[in-house]
């Protein structure tokens, strides 16, 4: 039985900073950001968005027919959750008025949580082919003002519907994971930004790429010629280039050229949105479909997922005949072109004006946005959310 991704929804907030502006403000060469790190813009997250609203807004962008009474499981993969106990997935079920007869929970393992959710959903559908699952990778990447990782910040969520006979991507039964305890990036409880050694993390990622691809090829006898595209988790787009370069010595020229061109297409949305942690690999898939008009149904796509700490996993899938229609491509272009560019001072003010930590009652000022769901504030210790559609209808 074929199981895989039936549809994808993407959401990112409506503010961004141009990284040439940021480079000037930080006294860096713009080319370091745009070429050396490979990022052009960075999403700025308003206080009205958290991982719950990002997740619900992403699921709200799914094609109308994709969430129905077959839904049996809702998973949010995130490393920037707002509650140490309650799952964001439960709030998503409520906000979207989903069928309550579902299993809802979150998964955490740095940027790998979305992949863990996707593969758990695949197993769930294999056991219950009449059911579907909703997996949402939702995150806000915050490193801190003027920090080493600042230029790689971003925010967004990708919602994946997993089903039997999927219309977008059939997942193969070839997922191979490698886990090793390393201190490259982690965020102890109570800290708002991670402890990260970016250079160590980059070399650990490449070490995992080498190990996982070598074992995958020896176990599954796949070759680079089998793949129309290789997608990578992109904390910044240069990371994908480094990963492909690490594999390149074993490729022939034609494979290398094809995989390089497709990786460039798959990196376009990350260049504009920034790092979205758990969703970054799936943002690459969206980007490939939106930006590369040469990929075809039947093409095999390889996906490498990496979550610091660390877990690396490689798996593959085959595009299905209706794949291009299972993402609202026009809606994504509209969402991106409607974004508002902030100057660096405005970004810094927004960065520090988040809902304060603690449990005091607070209200988040409403601001102009097309997002359906937003954070309203906190009352009786709990966050509460707005639904613009419901408010307009009321
Ligand atoms: N023009 C073009 N390229 C330039 C440049 C210029 N003027 N100045 C520097 N560069 C290049 C460097 O050569 C380097 O390229 P390389 O990596 O291919 O060698 C790149 O820009 C970055 O320069 P570097 O000095 O290493 O930058 P940095 O010390 O600020 O660190 C990161 C960059 C990405 C490591 C840092 O932003 C970071 O820690 N990010 C978060 C890490 C992360 O996401 N970790 C999780 C991984 S899953």
């Amino acid at each position: 039985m074929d199981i895989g991704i039936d549809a994808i929804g993407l959401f990112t907030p409506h503010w961004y900073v141009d990284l040439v502006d940021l480079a000037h403000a930080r006294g860096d060469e713009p080319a370091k950001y745009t070429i050396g790190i490979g990022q052009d813009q960075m999403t700025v997250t308003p206080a009205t968005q958290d991982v719950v609203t990002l997740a619900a807004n992403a699921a709200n962008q799914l094609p109308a027919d994709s969430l129905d009474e077959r839904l049996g499981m809702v998973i949010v993969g995130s490393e920037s959750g707002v509650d140490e106990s309650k799952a964001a997935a439960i709030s998503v079920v409520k906000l979207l008025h989903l069928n309550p007869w579902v299993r809802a929970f979150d998964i955490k393992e740095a940027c790998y949580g979305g992949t863990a959710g996707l593969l758990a959903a695949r197993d769930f559908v294999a056991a219950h082919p009449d059911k579907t699952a909703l997996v949402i990778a939702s995150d806000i990447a915050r490193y801190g003002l003027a920090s080493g990782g600042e230029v790689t910040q971003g925010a967004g969520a990708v919602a994946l519907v997993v089903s039997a006979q999927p219309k977008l991507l059939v997942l193969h039964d070839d997922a191979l994971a490698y886990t090793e305890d390393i201190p490259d990036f982690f965020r102890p409880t109570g800290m708002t930004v991670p402890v990260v050694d970016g250079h160590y993390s980059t070399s650990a990622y490449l070490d995992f790429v080498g190990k996982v691809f070598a074992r995958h090829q020896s176990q599954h006898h796949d070759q680079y010629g089998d793949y129309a595209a290789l997608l990578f988790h992109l904390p910044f787009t240069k990371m994908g280039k480094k990963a492909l370069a690490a594999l390149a010595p074993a490729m022939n020229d034609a494979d290398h050229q094809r995989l390089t061109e497709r990786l460039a297409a798959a990196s376009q949305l990350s260049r504009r949105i920034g790092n979205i942690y758990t969703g970054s690999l799936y943002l690459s898939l969206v980007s490939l479909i939106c930006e590369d008009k040469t990929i075809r149904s039947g093409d095999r796509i390889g996906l490498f997922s990496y979550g610091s700490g660390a877990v690396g996993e490689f798996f593959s899938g085959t595009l299905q005949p209706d794949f291009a229609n299972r993402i609202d491509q026009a809606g994504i272009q509209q969402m991106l072109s409607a974004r508002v560019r902030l100057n660096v001072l405005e970004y810094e003010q927004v960065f520090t004006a988040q809902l304060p930590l603690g449990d005091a009652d607070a209200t988040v000022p409403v601001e102009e946005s097309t997002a359906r769901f937003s954070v309203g504030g906190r009352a009786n210790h709990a966050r509460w959310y707005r639904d613009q559609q419901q408010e307009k209808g009321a």
Side-chain angles (χ1 to χ4, degrees):
M1 181 184 37
D2 287 342
I3 301 170
I5 301 172
D6 188 61
I8 303 184
L10 169 70
F11 178 79
T12 189
H14 64 288
W15 285 337
Y16 73 95
V17 161
D18 190 285
L19 292 181
V20 172
D21 294 348
L22 188 66
H24 288 141
R26 299 292 178 250
D28 283 325
E29 283 277 328
K32 175 181 173 185
Y33 294 6
T34 58
I35 299 169
I37 293 174
Q39 296 299 122
D40 296 321
Q41 298 170 350
M42 176 179 96
T43 303
V44 177
T45 314
T48 49
Q49 292 295 318
D50 65 11
V51 294
V52 169
T53 58
L54 293 175
N57 283 318
N60 193 50
Q61 301 302 321
L62 286 163
D65 64 346
S66 47
L67 291 177
D68 57 26
E69 71 289 346
R70 293 174 300 158
L71 186 68
M73 190 152 86
V74 178
I75 303 175
V76 171
S78 181
E79 57 175 300
S80 46
V82 291
D83 195 291
E84 296 279 10
S85 173
K86 183 173 175 177
I90 294 176
S91 304
V92 168
V93 169
K94 178 183 175 188
L95 287 172
L96 292 167
H97 306 288
L98 298 176
N99 155 30
W101 294 100
V102 294
R103 185 182 292 161
F105 58 96
D106 291 358
I107 294 184
K108 177 187 69 181
E109 180 359 60
C111 299
Y112 170 74
T115 299
L118 173 64
L119 297 176
R122 182 183 181 280
D123 293 347
F124 171 74
V125 173
H128 309 281
D130 55 327
K131 301 269 189 203
T132 63
L134 171 62
V135 179
I136 314 175
S138 180
D139 269 308
I140 299 171
R142 276 172 76 89
Y143 289 90
L145 297 177
S147 65
E150 181 181 37
V151 60
T152 69
Q153 293 176 146
V158 182
L160 311 167
V161 176
V162 179
S163 73
Q165 311 307 336
K167 298 194 190 84
L168 198 159
L169 188 79
V170 166
L171 294 173
H172 300 160
D173 191 12
D174 65 346
L176 176 73
Y178 175 74
T179 294
E180 188 180 328
D181 187 350
I182 56 168
D184 61 330
F185 175 117
F186 51 98
R187 185 164 64 86
T189 303
M191 288 185 66
T192 55
V193 293
V195 180
V196 56
D197 181 338
H199 294 111
Y200 172 45
S201 186
T202 301
S203 70
Y205 179 123
L206 293 175
D207 178 46
F208 276 50
V209 165
K211 282 192 172 94
V212 173
F213 272 78
R215 194 173 172 94
H216 196 276
Q217 288 177 342
S218 85
Q219 285 188 348
H220 295 277
H221 310 292
D222 49 334
Q223 297 168 347
Y224 295 114
D226 299 334
Y227 292 98
L230 290 178
L231 308 181
F232 299 93
H233 164 55
L234 296 177
F236 46 96
T237 68
K238 179 71 162 290
M239 191 71 242
K241 281 191 175 176
K242 285 176 189 275
L244 196 62
L247 301 172
M251 290 176 196
N252 65 35
D253 289 349
D255 291 342
H256 185 244
Q257 190 180 339
R258 178 184 68 260
L259 296 174
T260 300
E261 286 168 8
R262 295 256 163 82
L263 179 61
S267 301
Q268 289 311 308
L269 292 182
S270 295
R271 291 189 72 93
R272 298 176 66 186
I273 291 173
N275 190 3
I276 62 169
Y277 286 162
T278 45
S280 291
L281 174 61
Y282 304 98
L283 182 61
S284 299
L285 178 59
V286 174
S287 187
L288 178 72
I289 292 172
C290 292
E291 303 288 334
D292 185 316
K293 297 305 168 201
T294 64
I295 50 163
R296 297 281 173 264
S297 165
D299 280 349
R300 183 174 176 187
I301 312 288
L303 299 97
F304 178 78
S305 185
Y306 178 83
S308 291
V311 180
E313 184 146 12
F314 182 71
F315 59 101
S316 69
T318 297
L319 290 171
Q320 298 303 291
D322 205 24
F323 75 90
N325 299 319
R326 303 303 290 164
I327 298 177
D328 180 5
Q329 298 190 44
I332 290 171
Q333 294 314 329
Q334 251 169 26
M335 177 173 67
L336 291 176
S337 56
R339 293 193 309 169
V340 176
R341 177 175 171 172
L342 301 187
N343 64 37
V344 174
L345 187 62
E346 289 167 330
Y347 143 63
E348 291 178 345
Q349 284 164 349
V350 172
F351 190 89
T352 45
Q354 302 295 307
L355 186 63
L357 286 177
D359 60 3
D361 284 6
T363 305
V364 175
V366 181
E367 105 290 294
E368 284 290 309
S369 152
T370 52
R372 177 175 167 190
F373 299 106
S374 58
V375 179
R378 185 171 46 220
N380 299 322
H381 310 284
R383 282 177 181 237
W384 58 275
Y385 297 102
R386 292 180 185 279
D387 178 346
Q388 202 174 116
Q389 191 169 298
Q390 215 168 41
E391 287 175 13
K392 278 187 183 151

